[in-house]
Amino acid sequence: MLKLIGSALILLACIGFVLSKEREFTEHKRQLEDFALLLSLLQNEMCRLRFPLPVVLEHCGIKMCDPYGKLCEQVQSNLIQQERGEASAIWSMQVETARKQFLLDDAECQLLSEIGEVFRMDNVELKEELFEVYRKRLLKLTKDYETSLMSRRRLNRYGTVLAGVFVIILLL
């Protein structure tokens, strides 16, 4: 009876692990969608509306969900405190500081960090072109993640359950 209860608990723990990983995969996908929204907001407010950078970051901080909203708010407050600070350097520093809040992989986080390069430019046409390049790169990264997501989910589900069954067999 004790072995049966232990086996059931092992399988329950495996299911819990699978569900937590599924939640992580879903959150990563949501963060990629929010990243695309952030790019659109920045492009719209910087290039089309031509707001000053602190105002752009304030609007993005209000409109975006965490962790992007929090990132924009922190960059805005640091930019106001350091009046002569380099905006792109502050952006990159805040991205690295808040790296653990994002579920992005290295290439996606690198792209997020590179967005700060637009902040130092004055030419609106060049900003537009750069935002389009970033959008295309993000679209490719998102497609790559979505194609690998099916195999990741399958591996997560079957691998965890098989590992649980293996442990149960060892204990029996």
Side-chain angles (χ1 to χ4, degrees):
M1 183 65 177
L2 192 57
K3 285 184 179 184
L4 186 63
I5 292 172
S7 300
L9 289 176
I10 289 172
L11 283 178
L12 188 63
C14 289
I15 291 170
F17 180 76
V18 166
L19 291 176
S20 71
K21 290 299 281 184
E22 286 292 323
R23 208 170 314 128
E24 185 178 312
F25 293 148
T26 304
E27 178 65 19
H28 186 161
K29 189 165 187 226
R30 187 192 65 78
Q31 281 191 11
L32 285 174
E33 292 166 356
D34 286 350
F35 190 0
L37 179 63
L38 176 67
L39 265 176
S40 296
L41 281 172
L42 287 171
Q43 181 179 14
N44 184 42
E45 297 202 4
M46 289 177 73
C47 298
R48 295 185 183 99
L49 299 176
R50 298 185 184 181
F51 286 146
L53 188 57
V55 175
V56 169
L57 292 172
E58 180 183 359
H59 288 174
C60 290
I62 292 169
K63 292 177 184 176
M64 295 300 302
C65 299
D66 284 342
Y68 298 106
K70 196 173 190 179
L71 174 68
C72 291
E73 290 170 356
Q74 289 173 344
V75 171
Q76 185 220 13
S77 67
N78 285 351
L79 195 59
I80 290 171
Q81 289 173 359
Q82 303 172 4
E83 291 180 9
R84 296 183 187 246
E86 176 77 24
S88 60
I90 293 172
W91 178 269
S92 297
M93 182 184 66
Q94 283 301 113
V95 168
E96 287 303 315
T97 303
R99 173 86 164 98
K100 293 184 178 167
Q101 295 175 355
F102 298 103
L103 294 175
L104 306 176
D105 62 19
D106 291 336
E108 296 159 353
C109 199
Q110 177 66 29
L111 179 61
L112 181 62
S113 182
E114 287 176 16
I115 290 174
E117 295 300 317
V118 176
F119 297 160
R120 71 170 82 184
M121 296 179 184
D122 292 329
N123 188 342
V124 176
E125 290 82 22
L126 188 59
K127 284 182 182 181
E128 286 276 354
E129 290 176 17
L130 205 52
F131 274 121
E132 284 305 316
V133 169
Y134 290 151
R135 181 174 285 116
K136 288 177 184 175
R137 282 178 55 196
L138 180 61
L139 185 63
K140 183 183 180 321
L141 290 171
T142 303
K143 284 183 181 179
D144 291 346
Y145 178 74
E146 287 175 352
T147 55
S148 71
L149 189 60
M150 290 296 287
S151 61
R152 286 182 185 188
R153 283 185 166 156
R154 196 174 307 128
L155 178 67
N156 178 45
R157 290 176 190 150
Y158 297 133
T160 304
V161 171
L162 286 175
V165 169
F166 180 72
V167 169
I168 290 171
I169 290 172
L170 283 177
L171 292 176
L172 294 180

